[in-house]
Every structure is written in C-alpha cells, then in structure tokens.
Amino acid sequence: MKSPAKDRQCSELYDELLPNCADYVALHAKQRPKGLAIIEHNTGEKVTWKTFQTSVNAFAAKLLSLGLKRGDIVATSLPLLKEHVYLMYACFRIGLVVAPLDLRLKAVEIRYCMEKMKPRAYFFLGKTPLMDFRPMIKEVMADCPFIEHWVQFQKEEDLIMEGAVGITDFVKDIKRVFIKSLLTGAVKKAHRAVGRRDACLIIFTTGSTGSPKPAMLCHENILIQNIGLIVGFEGNQDDRMLVNLPPSHVGCTTEQLATIIYGGGIAVILHIFDAKLSLEAIEKHKITMLGQIPALYNMEWRLSDYYRYDLSSLRFAIYGGQAVPREFLVKMKQMAPCIGTGLGLTETAGFCTYTHVDADVDELAEGIGYDSVLCPISIREPMNADGTAGREKQPGEVGEICFSGQQIFLGYLGDPENTAKTISTDGVCYTGDLGYYDDKGLHFAGRAKLVIKPKGYQVYPEDVENHIVNKLRGRISMAAVVGVEHEVFSEGIMVFVETSPGQSVTPEEVMGACSDISAYSRPSHVVVYDAGELPLNRVAKTDYMVLRDRAKTIVNELRDQGRWDRK
C-alpha cells in the first residue's frame, strides 16, 4: 500500500488469520454476543452476533442432515435475505461450496451454470410480487437431474412447485436437527475438516473467451481481501456498511458483506438494490461506509429528492468496477468526506489495489491505487508459451496487469484450459487489463478484454451477437455489439445488425430477440444495416473501431432527442 505501516499491519493480521470465513461469526459472537451483526433494512429486523452464530450452526446442521458433505456445491437464486446470509455462512462453516446466481438470469443461462457446477442442492425463489420464477425453474428442473434438493423460498404451500420443498417445510425440523447436532458434534466435526485453501464460493465471471466461467474462491482468498479493505480504508468495529449489491458478485459477498463480518462491524442489508431504499438506509441506520459501482451512485444522485436525505454519517464512500470522469469524483466528495477506489477482480476475491484513505479528487483521477504486500502487483509481458509468467516490466512501462500471492483464486471449476490462460505455472494471475505502475500507483492504459460493463455487470459482445444471430437466423447475417458511455449505467449496449439479402428486420424485433437473456445484456439501442453495409476491416472482419465511432455519434444524436441516458 502507499503506507509501509499499512503493509506491516496487513502482514500482522495475516499471521493471526483464522482458517474459515465463518470463524469470524463465532469470534464476534463469543466476544460480543449481544452486539449487532446484521440489520435487514427491508424488514427492520436486527440480528445479534449470538443469533447469527446460532442460525449459521442450525442451517449447517440441516444441510448435513441432507447428506451434503465437504466439497458439495449449493447453488442459490435468492436476494440478499438474512436467511441467505445464514445459508452462505453455514456452507462456509462445514466445507460446502455456495454458488449465488444472478436473479436476472434466464432459464437457458441458469442451465448453463448448473451444467458447469453440478450442484447437489438449489435454493430459489417462487412466485413473488414482482415475478413468478416457477415457470423458469420448471425448465431448469427438467434438465438438471443431478440436483437432489430443490428448496423454494415460498411460504404459501399452494404455490410450492412439484418436486420442491417449501422453505417452511425445510426448516420445520431445524431445531430438532440442530439440537441433535449439538449432541453428536456433527457441525464441529465437519468444521474441523475445512482448511483455509478449501473452495467455499463460486462466482461466475465473464472472461476472455466470452463465456461465463465459474471462478472458485477459497476462505484464504476472501479473508486476505478483507484484510486489504479493512486496513486500506481503515475500517473498524464501529463501522456500519450498507450491503446493497447482488450476492452473485464479489462486490457484495466478499467485499461488502464478508469484510464487515471479518471486521466485526454491522452489515445493513437490502434484499435488492433500490436507489431510494439505499439512501433511506444510510439516513436511518447511520451508515458509515458505502461501496457501490458508479451506475448505482448515478441512480441515487438522479433522484429528485436526493438532497433531502441526511447522509452526514458517511465517513467513507468507495466506488469500483469502472473508470469515472472527474465530475463524478467531485459529486462523491460532496457525498462523503473521504472517498476511495481500487481495482477489483473476481479472480482476486475483490479488491487488490487501494487508493490512499486521504486521496483527493486529483489523486483519484490519476490512478487506481496501490497493491498490498499480501497480493503484490507486477506489470508483465504476455504469458510465455510454456505457461510461465512473462518478463516483468520496468516502472512506468505499459504491460499486462498481474497479481500473485495467496489472494489469487483457485481456478475455474472444470476448466483447466482457461485457468492456465489466467494463472501461470509460477502462480501469476493475468487480469487481461493493460496498464503501468509507478510511485503514484496503478494506471490503466486500456482494456485487453473486450468486455462491456453496463451497471457493473460484465457482458461479452460475442455472447449477445451469437444469441441475436441464432434467434433471427435467416433474417440477419451479422450482429456486432459495442459499449458506449452511459451516464447512468456507465456503459450502454448498442447493437448493429446486417440483414440477409432480400430480408428485413426492425429494431423492435431485435430487442424482442433479446427478451430471454439477462436484462443487463440487452441492448439500449439497435441500428439496422442492409446487406453489405456493416463496416469490415481489411481482413474482412467486423470493424469494431469504426462501429464504436459511429455509436458515439449516434448517442449524441439520441441525447439531443432526449433518449439514451437523457430519458
């Protein structure tokens, strides 16, 4: 880090590290049983460390009673309910691997994830006021015979799907099972078998091949990242962290939630992100730390009554996931006295660089922070043909941004080929980004991966292009997807399609073809070209540079019409 004293502090905390993420629930429950651990803003319920610890053990006992064992995968499609938190930490405690999936995934995307993981249990939503998930889950059920336990978070018995058990029935014997586990020592025995390098969390990420990959994280990966955030941004037990990101992202599960649990502060959770509820939670619960992607800050700032909320309790606001303009930093500085950022990756369980806690707008506009002694950075040549890391560059030289150390993830589940492309044989993790490092920290020079990041999600153009071409097969010959600056979403998706000879298609039909992919992958605008009009480069491939320039021009025209990000 920028401060040698902070690097020493990181090393000292690492020497004291407990082996299991759930050990910190037990530690704080022992030290401060009546202290607050979780506030569920949506319900107003408050959870003490003692209740948290008991709930985790009860869920752990129930999972063991199903026959689940160390290394088994438990998938979830749930919002950030307190019960979801109990479930995740129960899995951590007894060596299960939890895989929270994005609630916006469609059936085909869920099936893809399930095929990659082969989970033994799946916890999911049923019919809610906003959406009925059951038809989609029914499709998934038909293709996933390897899932033995289907648990529907639904209290109404008449709405429980055939083949599933409702959450009420699931927990009806949990007290008896828990008491029995206390007598047999089942949870303690399972817990003792779990090591710090055991996989405990799967987060799907979009990598250089374009297909979502299940990144396996272990306890040590997550806890080292927690040390970095606590030390780098000076967190403490008096902090209250707003946890309002989806649990399918490291931003929520490892950065916000796991860090505040590690540090012993209070996690104020929202079931799903809502700009108004987030501001209400800050005001009501006196939030001190806030970490969000730029798109979420923009959504909050655009509320007509934003300035009526009392945000004076905030001491530190963090942003990540996107480069931001100076004007954005000025707004953040008005929101909290101290602001910060850093590079965060799924493959490093979250943050791996940290700006100085007292950094001003100018410093933040210049770079994205300093590495930690526990996860050292290096700027390198591309990986060598034999799989070893490329030559390290000199300070100030542009190269591939890399990290090493015990914070690096275990690899992609069942995908040794892509793992080998990301982690060298000598343990260096290639991020796919280009940049340089000097005495002012890390600086981006460009993105090596052609990834679009609307609202902080990662969307690979080829996935969307292939989907559109397949859905409109015969009517269009090509599709090209580019990302364009969007003041609310950070990046918006624009699609260019070329019709097949003698065929026609409307932008609305292209939009409709995307209705069965995740909402954040859908285009915000569609441009239709006649056959032969899509620009090609000199090797007859789609010229994305030309399309990006055209897209910028189109966005300016849309803004003049009150569209794009001016709606």
Side-chain angles (χ1 to χ4, degrees):
M1 295 185 178
K2 187 176 183 179
S3 163
K6 286 191 173 182
D7 272 337
R8 288 194 297 272
Q9 187 181 356
C10 286
S11 296
E12 291 167 0
L13 289 174
Y14 177 74
D15 290 340
E16 302 168 358
L17 199 65
L18 299 175
N20 189 308
C21 292
D23 288 345
Y24 288 89
V25 178
L27 175 67
H28 300 311
K30 182 178 181 180
Q31 295 177 341
R32 297 177 293 123
K34 295 182 180 179
L36 276 183
I38 299 171
I39 298 174
E40 190 174 42
H41 179 67
N42 301 77
T43 65
E45 293 189 39
K46 297 180 179 181
V47 180
T48 65
W49 285 107
K50 180 180 179 181
T51 299
F52 191 5
Q53 164 76 349
T54 301
S55 300
V56 167
N57 279 334
F59 266 84
K62 178 64 180 180
L63 293 170
L64 289 172
S65 76
L66 299 178
L68 299 177
K69 60 185 185 301
R70 178 182 171 216
D72 284 341
I73 296 172
V74 175
T76 68
S77 292
L78 299 171
L80 195 63
L81 311 165
K82 64 182 183 301
E83 291 83 3
H84 195 185
V85 177
Y86 301 158
L87 175 62
M88 289 192 289
Y89 273 77
C91 290
F92 293 164
R93 177 154 290 163
I94 59 176
L96 303 180
V97 183
V98 65
L101 301 180
D102 197 307
L103 275 174
R104 299 167 73 168
L105 296 181
K106 300 300 183 182
V108 64
E109 296 165 313
I110 297 173
R111 284 199 302 267
Y112 171 87
C113 294
M114 296 304 190
E115 283 293 336
K116 287 285 185 181
M117 300 186 296
K118 298 291 196 298
R120 289 188 63 195
Y122 182 38
F123 292 76
F124 60 93
L125 291 177
K127 186 177 183 180
T128 74
L130 296 178
M131 179 178 173
D132 189 351
F133 290 84
R134 295 175 301 170
M136 186 168 62
I137 299 301
K138 186 176 181 180
E139 289 184 49
V140 176
M141 268 188 174
D143 294 326
C144 298
F146 43 81
I147 300 178
E148 303 167 36
H149 307 283
W150 299 80
V151 184
Q152 184 175 335
F153 265 62
Q154 186 95 54
K155 293 182 179 179
E156 301 88 348
E157 291 186 13
D158 60 318
L159 296 179
I160 304 302
M161 296 176 60
E162 183 179 351
V165 60
I167 189 62
T168 302
D169 282 343
F170 179 80
V171 301
K172 70 180 180 183
D173 65 344
I174 199 168
K175 184 175 181 180
R176 178 185 61 79
V177 172
F178 173 49
I179 292 172
K180 182 180 178 181
S181 75
L182 294 177
L183 298 174
T184 63
V187 173
K188 287 185 177 180
K189 182 179 179 181
H191 173 253
R192 284 195 297 268
V194 182
R196 64 169 60 186
R197 297 300 294 177
D198 281 3
C200 65
L201 179 67
I202 290 175
I203 298 290
F204 275 82
T205 183
T206 304
S208 56
T209 64
S211 297
K213 297 187 288 292
M216 293 188 295
L217 302 174
C218 69
H219 296 274
E220 190 173 26
N221 299 154
I222 297 169
L223 291 168
I224 291 175
Q225 190 267 169
N226 299 155
I227 289 173
L229 279 173
I230 288 290
V231 174
F233 296 143
E234 300 180 2
N236 58 68
Q237 288 190 354
D238 294 327
D239 275 318
R240 294 182 170 213
M241 171 77 84
L242 179 62
V243 185
N244 62 348
L245 300 180
S248 56
H249 287 238
V250 289
C252 170
T253 305
T254 67
E255 294 174 4
Q256 291 178 332
L257 184 64
T259 298
I260 200 67
I261 289 173
Y262 165 81
I266 299 172
V268 179
I269 63 175
L270 289 188
H271 293 171
I272 58 174
F273 174 78
D274 180 279
K276 185 177 179 65
L277 286 180
S278 295
L279 297 177
E280 287 179 358
I282 295 172
E283 180 178 74
K284 181 175 181 179
H285 305 294
K286 306 300 180 187
I287 299 296
T288 61
M289 292 191 77
L290 174 67
Q292 299 182 148
I293 59 174
L296 304 190
Y297 284 107
N298 282 326
M299 290 178 188
E300 290 160 354
W301 295 337
R302 290 166 80 98
L303 291 176
S304 60
D305 58 349
Y306 167 74
Y307 288 102
R308 83 166 181 81
Y309 292 97
D310 180 2
L311 310 180
S312 60
S313 61
L314 281 176
R315 71 164 186 86
F316 203 90
I318 308 164
Y319 72 93
Q322 300 277 163
V324 297
R326 181 184 176 84
E327 294 76 15
F328 181 94
L329 298 173
V330 171
K331 284 185 180 179
M332 276 196 72
K333 195 70 173 174
Q334 295 168 350
M335 192 179 195
C338 295
I339 61 175
T341 190
L343 178 62
L345 306 166
T346 303
E347 290 85 354
T348 57
F351 269 58
C352 47
T353 68
Y354 313 84
T355 52
H356 193 262
V357 71
D358 295 322
D360 59 20
V361 168
D362 290 330
E363 186 175 342
L364 289 167
E366 197 170 78
I368 51 172
Y370 302 82
D371 64 345
S372 159
V373 67
L374 301 179
C375 190
I377 193 172
S378 56
I379 307 298
R380 295 179 177 270
E381 297 280 0
M383 200 180 293
N384 296 318
D386 64 358
T388 58
R391 180 183 67 84
E392 193 165 349
K393 298 267 194 174
Q394 293 298 312
E397 279 190 284
V398 173
E400 300 228 20
I401 301 171
C402 301
F403 292 89
S404 56
Q406 297 300 92
Q407 193 176 326
I408 303 305
F409 79 132
L410 300 177
Y412 301 114
L413 178 65
D415 193 350
E417 182 179 349
N418 278 311
T419 298
K421 291 177 181 177
T422 305
I423 307 175
S424 69
T425 56
D426 39 353
V428 175
C429 179
Y430 276 70
T431 68
D433 293 319
L434 302 175
Y436 64 95
Y437 195 78
D438 57 20
D439 58 358
K440 294 183 179 180
L442 176 62
H443 312 264
F444 268 129
R447 186 167 293 279
K449 300 177 181 179
L450 297 176
V451 175
I452 303 170
K453 288 191 171 183
K455 303 180 183 178
Y457 291 92
Q458 295 192 86
V459 176
Y460 195 79
E462 187 177 342
D463 286 343
V464 182
E465 291 164 358
N466 290 339
H467 179 84
I468 294 171
V469 170
N470 286 332
K471 292 286 283 191
L472 298 173
R473 186 180 288 113
R475 299 180 63 191
I476 65 171
S477 58
M478 299 177 69
V481 173
V482 299
V484 194
E485 179 190 9
H486 194 291
E487 290 183 2
V488 178
F489 303 151
S490 294
E491 278 189 295
I493 296 174
M494 188 175 295
V495 174
F496 297 85
V497 299
E498 183 180 279
T499 59
S500 300
Q503 297 291 317
S504 64
V505 70
T506 66
E508 291 75 18
E509 288 174 314
V510 178
M511 293 281 199
C514 297
S515 63
D516 56 348
I517 61 174
S518 50
Y520 56 82
S521 300
R522 299 172 194 162
S524 296
H525 188 72
V526 175
V527 177
V528 178
Y529 285 132
D530 290 332
E533 289 186 350
L534 196 69
L536 303 178
N537 60 23
R538 59 186 177 184
V539 292
K541 293 184 178 181
T542 302
D543 195 331
Y544 285 93
M545 295 300 293
V546 170
L547 289 178
R548 286 193 183 101
D549 289 339
R550 290 186 184 180
K552 291 176 184 177
T553 301
I554 291 169
V555 163
N556 288 333
E557 293 171 355
L558 293 173
R559 284 171 171 165
D560 290 340
Q561 299 166 21
R563 300 164 65 191
W564 192 250
D565 51 12
R566 297 287 193 265
K567 295 180 181 179

